[in-house]
């Protein structure tokens, strides 16, 4: 059964469940029911979530991704997503990142910004609003 309007989603990717829960709560608190809020514990799971959402007609607007994760690092993951789904915007949230990864993810994945952990809620939400065209 298809709906006439496709739901918009924001995906949070981090290998720490507590961070995913915190991000999800903050997004919901700030943005209410404007979006579906999805989570994934690693890049592989995140790609499956994106593929499933797209198949279901859900428009994935934004990915908030950690950088330092087991397996594929955040910058590599966001570049892969960008190659497959060039319209999905992204923000990298990290406590550890090297300058080369920042440059690469901005150039090759069109990542809007890199936000340090622990994040400033106002800066994070401002970036999310810009990426979701809510300003």
């Amino acid at each position: 059964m298809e709906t006439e309007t496709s739901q918009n989603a924001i995906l949070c990717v981090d290998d720490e469940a507590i961070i995913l829960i915190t991000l999800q709560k903050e997004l919901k608190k700030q943005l209410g029911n404007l979006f579906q809020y999805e989570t994934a514990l690693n890049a592989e799971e995140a790609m499956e979530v994106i593929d499933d959402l797209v198949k279901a007609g859900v428009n994935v607007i934004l990915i908030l991704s950690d950088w330092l994760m087991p397996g594929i690092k955040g910058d590599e993951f966001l570049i892969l997503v960008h190659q497959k789904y060039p319209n999905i915007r992204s923000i990298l949230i990290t406590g550890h990142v090297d300058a080369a990864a920042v440059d690469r993810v901005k150039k090759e994945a069109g990542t809007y910004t890199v936000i340090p952990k622990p994040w400033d809620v106002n800066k994070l939400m401002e970036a999310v609003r810009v990426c979701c065209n809510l300003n």
Side-chain angles (χ1 to χ4, degrees):
M1 187 174 123
E2 289 190 41
T3 54
E4 285 182 33
T5 56
S6 71
Q7 177 76 32
N8 295 323
I10 295 175
L11 172 63
C12 302
V13 186
D14 199 301
D15 58 321
E16 293 181 58
I18 188 72
I19 290 180
L20 291 176
I21 292 164
T22 305
L23 272 173
Q24 206 174 21
K25 277 186 182 167
E26 192 58 49
L27 288 165
K28 199 161 187 133
K29 184 174 120 186
Q30 300 272 345
L31 304 175
N33 294 323
L34 283 176
F35 300 94
Q36 224 173 283
Y37 305 103
E38 301 291 336
T39 59
L41 287 164
N42 57 53
E44 197 174 292
E45 183 186 338
M47 196 56 101
E48 286 173 21
V49 170
I50 295 165
D51 289 340
D52 289 348
L53 287 169
V54 169
K55 273 188 206 132
V58 175
N59 189 15
V60 180
I61 302 284
L62 177 64
I63 298 170
L64 302 172
S65 178
D66 185 21
W67 179 66
L68 192 59
M69 297 184 287
I72 302 173
K73 287 197 172 43
D75 59 325
E76 297 165 50
F77 161 64
L78 292 175
I79 290 166
L80 289 172
V81 169
H82 185 70
Q83 289 166 351
K84 192 169 181 181
Y85 301 106
N87 294 334
I88 298 177
R89 312 276 319 261
S90 60
I91 295 172
L92 198 62
I93 302 174
T94 184
H96 326 269
V97 74
D98 62 58
V102 169
D103 291 343
R104 190 169 63 246
V105 79
K106 284 184 174 180
K107 197 177 346 177
E108 295 180 37
T111 295
Y112 175 70
T113 191
V114 177
I115 304 230
K117 282 182 186 174
W119 60 82
D120 173 311
V121 170
N122 294 330
K123 282 187 181 148
L124 176 64
M125 292 313 301
E126 182 184 322
V128 167
R129 286 188 178 94
V130 167
C131 288
C132 296
N133 297 319
L134 297 174
N135 279 3

